[in-house]
Amino acid sequence: QVQLVESGGGLVQPGGSLRLSCAASESIDRINVMGWYRQAPGSQRELVGHITKTGVTSYVDSVKGRFTISRDNAKNTVSLQMNNLQPEDSATYYCNAKVITIVPLDSKDYWGKGTLVTVSG
């Protein structure tokens, strides 16, 4: 039942920056983990990074040092700051919310519709 809406995608030159935003329909402090994924044409969707309730972040090696995930609980948003973008970063970026319960044991994923990032120049 969690609704997610991404925004901020666009066309940038190599070395440029973009900031993506994910707006959630409910308080993100009730969501176990929020993350960003991306999918390029002809490729499978891959994890970019995620952030926990306490603000602990993790990233794939290919974006570490260039991308930063942050959260604003008051605004129910999660952001992805992308710096020094390269052509291989071109993809549709998706916001993900993961809700985990132990009674019953279950895990549910909620997804936004994605926002397109193109790095060219």
Side-chain angles (χ1 to χ4, degrees):
Q1 292 76 46
V2 179
Q3 306 294 129
L4 303 173
V5 179
E6 305 97 333
S7 62
L11 174 64
V12 297
Q13 294 182 335
S17 298
L18 281 176
R19 185 177 180 87
L20 307 184
S21 180
C22 173
S25 61
E26 62 183 74
S27 299
I28 59 174
D29 58 0
R30 299 172 182 146
I31 300 173
N32 290 272
V33 179
M34 297 197 69
W36 286 95
Y37 292 73
R38 65 186 181 186
Q39 185 170 18
S43 301
Q44 296 190 37
R45 183 170 56 192
E46 66 174 356
L47 173 70
V48 175
H50 62 255
I51 186 168
T52 69
K53 289 183 178 180
T54 58
V56 178
T57 56
S58 183
Y59 308 90
V60 295
D61 289 341
S62 60
V63 308
K64 194 174 300 181
R66 299 188 297 121
F67 291 12
T68 303
I69 299 174
S70 60
R71 60 191 297 158
D72 188 333
N73 290 354
K75 297 181 179 179
N76 292 334
T77 59
V78 174
S79 297
L80 177 65
Q81 178 67 45
M82 304 184 293
N83 298 327
N84 193 24
L85 285 162
Q86 301 300 313
E88 53 264 37
D89 295 316
S90 297
T92 298
Y93 284 71
Y94 298 90
C95 181
N96 166 259
K98 186 179 296 293
V99 179
I100 300 172
T101 62
I102 59 174
V103 183
L105 181 61
D106 193 23
S107 178
K108 294 185 66 68
D109 285 283
Y110 301 90
W111 298 90
K113 295 181 179 180
T115 184
L116 179 63
V117 173
T118 303
V119 185
S120 179

